[in-house]
Every structure is written in structure tokens, then in C-alpha cells.
Amino acid sequence: AAQALHAALARQREGVERLLGPPEEVEVFGPHAGPPELEDIMKIQPPIRTVQAWEFWQQHKEFIGAHGPEWGPGIRERVEAASRVTDGECEEGRALQRVVARHVVSVLGDDAVLAVPGAADVAPLKGESG
């Protein structure tokens, strides 16, 4: 399955290259890639997730309050954590998001396409777990 996916993606990549030219690999994050607060990508993730949690809660708190859905393990804890994120914590994360956005634009300019994997591997086949 992975080989078929890679072949399909290669065909798509070839089409994009015909339109935009060959890809250029750039280092967006990492030591010496940008502002000091972006050197360690592992330190970027928690504030960004805080913003996501705050946004989730703002969008869904009325529904959750009105319907009291039953959550499975793990989800219930994330929803409860999202309900406790303060506006101030969200703003701290948003400040970092703005730093990230400015940096990405400074690296890529205004005429680039950023291709980022959405997952570390291909999805499991239908009917498989994992």
C-alpha cells in the first residue's frame, strides 16, 4: 500500500513541478533556522495546542453544556482540559503563532508552496487497526 501511495504522490509531484518548477528544500525550524523561540519545535507544539484547545472549547462549549455528550477515554480528559484554558494562555499561544507565521513567510516569500506531511506514515487500510 505504501508503494502505491508513493507512486501516486510522485505523479502528483511531477505535475506540480511542471507548473511551479523543481522543489527547494528549506529548513523552517531548528537551530539557526530563525528566531530563538523557534529553534526547538517540541517547545512550539504545547502553546499551539493550547490555542487549539481554547478554540475548540469556544466553538463547542454551548453544545457540550446543553447536551452533555459522553466522551470516550482520552477525549473526555482533553475536553475537560480545553474547558480550563484561559484567554491569557490562549493569547500567549497566539503570540507564538504570529512569530511562526512571520518566520514562515520570511523563509518562503509570497510565491511558494509549503508541502508538509500530515502524518508520520500512511493511514492503515480499511478494516485494519493501527
Side-chain angles (χ1 to χ4, degrees):
Q3 286 179 323
L5 175 64
H6 287 285
L9 290 175
R11 288 190 298 277
Q12 297 302 316
R13 178 180 171 168
E14 291 165 4
V16 170
E17 286 183 26
R18 280 193 299 278
L19 290 171
L20 303 175
E24 176 185 342
E25 190 171 320
V26 296
E27 185 176 355
V28 177
F29 299 106
H32 315 294
E37 60 264 55
L38 304 183
E39 287 185 359
D40 184 352
I41 197 162
M42 299 310 288
K43 291 181 181 176
I44 297 170
Q45 292 174 342
I48 302 301
R49 290 198 178 154
T50 297
V51 172
Q52 291 172 330
W54 184 89
E55 290 174 346
F56 166 85
W57 184 249
Q58 298 308 307
Q59 185 67 36
H60 300 290
K61 66 183 172 185
E62 289 181 21
F63 174 85
I64 293 168
H67 299 281
E70 302 250 345
W71 306 105
I75 297 172
R76 178 179 51 251
E77 292 80 5
R78 288 194 297 273
V79 170
E80 289 171 358
S83 74
R84 295 188 298 271
V85 175
T86 67
D87 292 350
E89 290 168 327
C90 178
E91 184 48 41
E92 287 177 23
R94 285 205 168 131
L96 181 59
Q97 280 182 320
R98 289 188 290 272
V99 171
V100 169
R102 282 192 301 270
H103 175 63
V104 168
V105 168
S106 76
V107 171
L108 299 179
D110 60 1
D111 63 347
V113 174
L114 178 63
V116 180
D121 203 350
V122 297
L125 295 174
K126 185 176 180 179
E128 291 183 358
S129 63

